[in-house]
Amino acid sequence: MSEPASGGESLLFLTDEQLRKGIEAMFFAYRGFTADPDRILDGMDYGRAHHRAIHFIHRSPGTTVNNLLSILGVTKQSLNRVLRTLIDDGLVESRVGREDKRERHLFLTARGAELERELSDAQRARMRAAYRAAGPVAVQGFRQVLEAMMDPDQRRQYQTLKEGGA
Amino acid sequence: MSEPASGGESLLFLTDEQLRKGIEAMFFAYRGFTADPDRILDGMDYGRAHHRAIHFIHRSPGTTVNNLLSILGVTKQSLNRVLRTLIDDGLVESRVGREDKRERHLFLTARGAELERELSDAQRARMRAAYRAAGPVAVQGFRQVLEAMMDPDQRRQYQTLKEGGA
DNA sequence: CTTGGAAAGTCAACAAGGCTGACGTAACTT
DNA sequence: AAGTTACGTCAGCCTTGTTGACTTTCCAAG
């Protein structure tokens, strides 16, 4: 594997060292990314799994359990436990499907929406600060690299969500 | 279709919608980021925690337990469980400090280095593909945003590592 | 209409990997 | 000599992932 050192105008020659820095950047940044919601959830009886469920129910109200399952990439048993506590605590409402009674459609209640806002306000604040600090060009690149890093299935999910919400 | 002129150099007006996309990009990308090593570890008796320990021991051979603790951000009990299995299995060597005999300096054994290579080859391959697909400008932005997203302490850790390895 | 399979959800049990608290030992520092 | 630091360990807890087994519901083929 001998790369022709200079790839035209720019280097697409990536050393292990450069890649390692990228890997570590992901590791440390993800910690920051989850830190604020984690802090809020800590003390309540909820964790990161609850946050994720709440996020995607907020994002796609009326989504089915199965749908949520494939987005979150966990087993239905795992999701169910989280969902049950959220339903019992009155943060999420589960409505039996009108067409297919096997399905449950999920919605945030007023209280659920309130918690969602609190969590995502914190997370957005950090994201906004990072975006501002790095600037619009960097943000563009950030999104491009992240997208390229996803598995094809994940990318499809992400893009569906991306469009659906506009 | 009502994109508020998010043109290149313009103002940094960030809608909740734009920020939400960034948040979801992080979520999905991180899954991809960990997918390959997770797949390799699955079936062995190790998990993501072992991978992290191995990564940073490889990266800073001779590092102390305390040092590793602060990088990984877990408790010593948690790290100890992981470290013990790695030492027992002969992937990591723990040497009593020469200057300060309280300290233990950690090194990968040949077998440890072998597993490290296998794991990081997989992870680097994905990172390399993503970098190539997105291009050098995007990579630059990617790193900038991630860095801005870290907590100050994490950023310090990251930058120390960044320099140390060059 | 019935029957069989697929899909949605639930219950139970287990594992990984976080956490806290308490305690011990050796070695360094004051 | 006393106090602090680095490390290891035991015990127990929590969250969140897993599999396996089960019910209910729906749908389609016979």
Side-chain angles (χ1 to χ4, degrees):
Chain A
M1 289 300 176
S2 51
E3 295 280 335
S6 71
E9 87 253 303
S10 57
L11 48 149
L12 281 184
F13 179 71
L14 299 164
T15 65
D16 284 0
E17 189 52 21
Q18 288 173 296
L19 295 167
R20 206 213 66 228
K21 286 178 197 166
I23 288 169
E24 291 176 357
M26 274 299 276
F27 173 70
F28 288 114
Y30 198 78
R31 282 239 298 261
F33 173 69
T34 56
D36 303 315
D38 281 359
R39 220 180 337 265
I40 293 171
L41 269 318
D42 194 54
M44 309 195 196
D45 289 347
Y46 303 130
R48 209 177 283 180
H50 300 83
H51 179 196
R52 293 199 282 258
I54 288 174
H55 174 98
F56 285 108
I57 292 171
H58 167 76
R59 208 239 152 287
S60 308
T63 188
T64 64
V65 172
N66 228 11
N67 222 301
L68 205 48
L69 236 44
S70 76
I71 288 173
L72 296 176
V74 297
T75 59
K76 62 180 176 173
Q77 294 90 330
S78 199
L79 175 59
N80 188 256
R81 173 174 30 203
V82 164
L83 229 37
R84 200 186 327 158
T85 71
L86 290 175
I87 292 170
D88 289 352
D89 295 355
L91 301 190
V92 166
E93 195 192 336
S94 162
R95 295 187 207 147
V96 172
R98 202 166 45 73
E99 310 232 317
D100 187 335
K101 290 181 196 158
R102 290 172 306 180
E103 296 180 342
R104 303 295 139 92
H105 298 275
L106 303 169
F107 302 85
L108 293 184
T109 64
R111 287 189 47 226
E114 191 184 339
L115 177 56
E116 192 283 329
R117 192 171 350 270
E118 189 183 353
L119 293 170
S120 69
D121 277 354
Q123 200 160 37
R124 273 198 301 265
R126 183 183 291 256
M127 192 66 74
R128 187 179 295 115
Y131 274 18
R132 288 227 165 96
V137 176
V139 168
Q140 174 73 4
F142 166 73
R143 291 268 298 273
Q144 280 172 0
V145 174
L146 288 188
E147 206 161 325
M149 208 181 310
M150 298 175 196
D151 274 342
D153 283 4
Q154 294 163 357
R155 185 158 44 245
R156 199 177 35 69
Q157 304 255 31
Y158 168 70
Q159 282 167 343
T160 304
L161 286 171
K162 205 168 65 169
E163 330 250 308
Chain B
M1 286 290 206
S2 55
E3 288 289 331
S6 65
E9 83 288 298
S10 77
L11 47 153
L12 300 174
F13 177 72
L14 298 164
T15 64
D16 283 1
E17 188 53 21
Q18 288 173 295
L19 295 167
R20 207 212 66 228
K21 286 179 197 167
I23 288 169
E24 291 177 356
M26 274 299 276
F27 172 70
F28 287 114
Y30 197 77
R31 282 238 299 260
F33 172 69
T34 56
D36 303 314
D38 282 357
R39 222 183 331 269
I40 293 171
L41 269 317
D42 194 55
M44 310 194 197
D45 288 348
Y46 304 129
R48 209 176 285 180
H50 300 83
H51 179 198
R52 293 198 282 256
I54 288 175
H55 174 98
F56 285 107
I57 293 171
H58 167 76
R59 208 238 152 288
S60 309
T63 189
T64 64
V65 173
N66 236 4
N67 222 300
L68 204 48
L69 236 44
S70 77
I71 289 172
L72 296 176
V74 298
T75 60
K76 64 174 177 176
Q77 293 91 330
S78 202
L79 175 60
N80 189 255
R81 175 173 29 198
V82 164
L83 226 38
R84 199 187 326 162
T85 70
L86 290 174
I87 292 170
D88 290 351
D89 294 355
L91 301 190
V92 167
E93 194 192 337
S94 163
R95 294 186 208 148
V96 172
R98 199 166 47 74
E99 309 232 316
D100 187 334
K101 291 183 195 156
R102 291 172 304 180
E103 295 181 340
R104 303 298 140 89
H105 299 276
L106 303 169
F107 301 87
L108 294 184
T109 64
R111 288 189 47 226
E114 191 184 340
L115 178 56
E116 192 283 329
R117 192 171 354 270
E118 189 182 352
L119 293 171
S120 70
D121 277 354
Q123 199 160 39
R124 274 198 300 266
R126 183 184 290 256
M127 192 67 73
R128 183 164 18 238
Y131 275 17
R132 288 227 164 96
V137 175
V139 168
Q140 172 74 3
F142 166 73
R143 291 270 296 275
Q144 281 173 359
V145 173
L146 289 189
E147 204 161 326
M149 208 181 311
M150 298 174 195
D151 273 342
D153 283 3
Q154 295 164 358
R155 183 157 47 244
R156 199 178 33 72
Q157 304 255 32
Y158 168 71
Q159 281 165 345
T160 304
L161 286 171
K162 206 168 65 170
E163 331 250 308

